[in-house]
Amino acid sequence: MKKRNMTALISCFVKSYHYKNYKCRIFSDFYADKILNEKEYDEISQNMANGISFFNKNFKGPDALKWIVNNRLSPTVLARSVFCEKHLLNSIKFGCREYLIYASGYDTFAYRNKYNIKVFEIDMPNMIEDKLKRLNEYDQKKATYIKCDFTTDEWINSIINSDYDRNKISFNSLLGISYYLTYDEFSNMIKNISNIICDGSSIIFDYPTYEQSDTSKCNESLAIASNNKMKSKYTYKEIEKILSDNNLYIYEHLDYNEMTNNYFKIFNHMNPDDRMYAQKGVSYCLAIKKSML
């Protein structure tokens, strides 16, 4: 597996594992298996289980893979996914017609989409090319793919020059991005997106805080190993300022405790032996573009 796709592959693996192993789910992604082939799934499973000492040097039990997935990998991936799609579906009810997924990776919403909304998948050229190789011809028509590099100054033009309609209400997902951009790069990204979306449009994202936990430290180490070093952390006040400076207001903001209570409670009740808790050190935010009139 190529290092540049490892983070996206693990996220896809987590969703596939969760779907396969539980009937009561935090987030249900039945399409992940179509992206991740059986060989890759088995390879990731084996590598994870063999590396249990990295994740928990004191682990003793029959299922190292389950412990790793439920305690180190799933909480962040599933939390951001359920938070995003809950608000996406709510936005669709109120007239949202375009869904832009920045750093889309192996996201599968476009292929599960049963709603009246156009999907744009925006990512690095090599990521999109790899994903398209995994999809059959029919599935490739489910989304508009936009290739760009968020660390350059020209990426926004790739969206403007596509068939994206800036006059339609849009829902913009920036999940998993803030970690890998500097403060200025992330702030500039919010500014550029705000400039091309109309009033009533949404931006949703998660971001790392200064709170630390074993899981957050582990994820930082995994990011470095996959050549995706984390560059920034934020306070609530810093996030609030970035948004307000760009005509956006916070509609909902959850810390890890609120995320667990809101989205993990039913799963934990139904699976008392496999309880999951949202990762300490990560917060989740939905912001709305407000009218200046």
Side-chain angles (χ1 to χ4, degrees):
M1 288 178 284
K2 296 181 179 180
K3 185 175 280 190
R4 64 175 178 264
N5 293 333
M6 183 58 72
T7 302
L9 281 171
I10 290 176
S11 294
C12 189
F13 168 80
V14 166
K15 294 174 185 177
S16 178
Y17 179 94
H18 191 66
Y19 185 83
K20 287 180 175 181
N21 287 279
Y22 296 100
K23 293 183 178 180
C24 173
R25 307 178 184 103
I26 294 169
F27 178 75
S28 188
D29 187 345
F30 61 84
Y31 207 95
D33 266 355
K34 298 182 184 298
I35 299 289
L36 195 69
N37 64 50
E38 186 175 349
K39 180 180 178 181
E40 286 172 321
Y41 184 93
D42 291 342
E43 183 178 329
I44 293 174
S45 298
Q46 191 63 51
N47 287 340
M48 287 293 172
N50 290 342
I52 183 60
S53 60
F54 170 80
F55 295 96
N56 183 351
K57 62 182 179 180
N58 298 315
F59 176 79
K60 293 180 181 180
D63 197 335
L65 179 63
K66 178 190 283 189
W67 191 94
I68 293 168
V69 174
N70 287 357
N71 290 276
R72 293 290 185 260
L73 305 178
S74 282
T76 298
V77 173
L78 300 179
R80 66 170 60 137
S81 298
V82 69
F83 182 67
C84 177
E85 292 200 10
K86 172 211 167 184
H87 284 295
L88 170 63
L89 298 185
N90 190 54
S91 295
I92 292 172
K93 293 178 183 178
F94 290 96
C96 176
R97 291 296 173 262
E98 294 181 314
Y99 179 27
L100 287 76
I101 313 173
Y102 297 79
S104 53
Y106 299 117
D107 188 275
T108 70
F109 176 81
Y111 324 109
R112 295 180 282 109
N113 181 17
K114 298 179 180 180
Y115 308 92
N116 181 26
I117 190 166
K118 185 175 178 62
V119 180
F120 296 81
E121 295 197 8
I122 307 158
D123 212 326
M124 297 285 286
N126 57 0
M127 184 71 247
I128 289 179
E129 289 164 8
D130 180 72
K131 185 173 186 178
L132 290 176
K133 288 178 183 178
R134 297 166 181 271
L135 299 171
N136 60 46
E137 184 177 353
Y138 173 75
D139 289 328
Q140 290 186 19
K141 299 176 182 178
K142 294 282 189 174
T144 295
Y145 302 94
I146 301 175
K147 301 175 182 179
C148 63
D149 183 348
F150 299 125
T151 63
T152 71
D153 295 328
E154 301 299 321
W155 65 267
I156 196 68
N157 292 327
S158 300
I159 299 172
I160 294 172
N161 295 329
S162 72
D163 57 350
Y164 163 69
D165 186 344
R166 61 198 303 172
N167 295 312
K168 292 181 179 179
I169 295 175
S170 63
F171 190 89
N172 299 263
S173 168
L174 279 62
L175 298 174
I177 293 179
S178 63
Y179 305 77
Y180 307 109
L181 300 178
T182 66
Y183 180 97
D184 289 340
E185 288 170 342
F186 182 63
S187 180
N188 192 53
M189 185 176 194
I190 295 293
K191 178 181 178 181
N192 282 326
I193 294 174
S194 180
N195 285 339
I196 67 166
I197 62 177
C198 66
D199 294 341
S201 295
S202 308
I203 296 179
I204 196 165
F205 60 96
D206 56 338
Y207 68 90
T209 71
Y210 286 92
E211 296 180 280
Q212 284 286 318
S213 67
D214 290 342
T215 300
S216 62
K217 292 175 183 177
C218 173
N219 287 342
E220 287 182 25
S221 297
L222 285 172
I224 292 172
S226 61
N227 202 28
N228 288 312
K229 183 178 179 180
M230 296 182 182
K231 298 180 179 180
S232 300
K233 293 182 180 180
Y234 301 86
T235 64
Y236 177 85
K237 288 294 184 183
E238 287 174 326
I239 291 295
E240 188 177 45
K241 185 178 188 308
I242 290 172
L243 295 173
S244 63
D245 285 348
N246 292 290
N247 305 321
L248 295 153
Y249 71 90
I250 296 175
Y251 181 85
E252 183 170 26
H253 182 278
L254 301 179
D255 65 15
Y256 62 97
N257 282 321
E258 292 166 325
M259 174 59 70
T260 298
N261 290 334
N262 287 6
Y263 293 103
F264 290 24
K265 192 172 184 178
I266 296 175
F267 174 86
N268 288 341
H269 175 73
M270 298 298 294
N271 301 277
D273 295 330
D274 297 331
R275 292 176 182 271
M276 276 192 258
Y277 303 90
Q279 180 186 328
K280 183 178 181 179
V282 176
S283 289
Y284 308 82
C285 184
L286 174 67
I288 309 294
K289 175 77 177 285
K290 58 186 176 183
S291 173
M292 297 303 294
L293 297 178

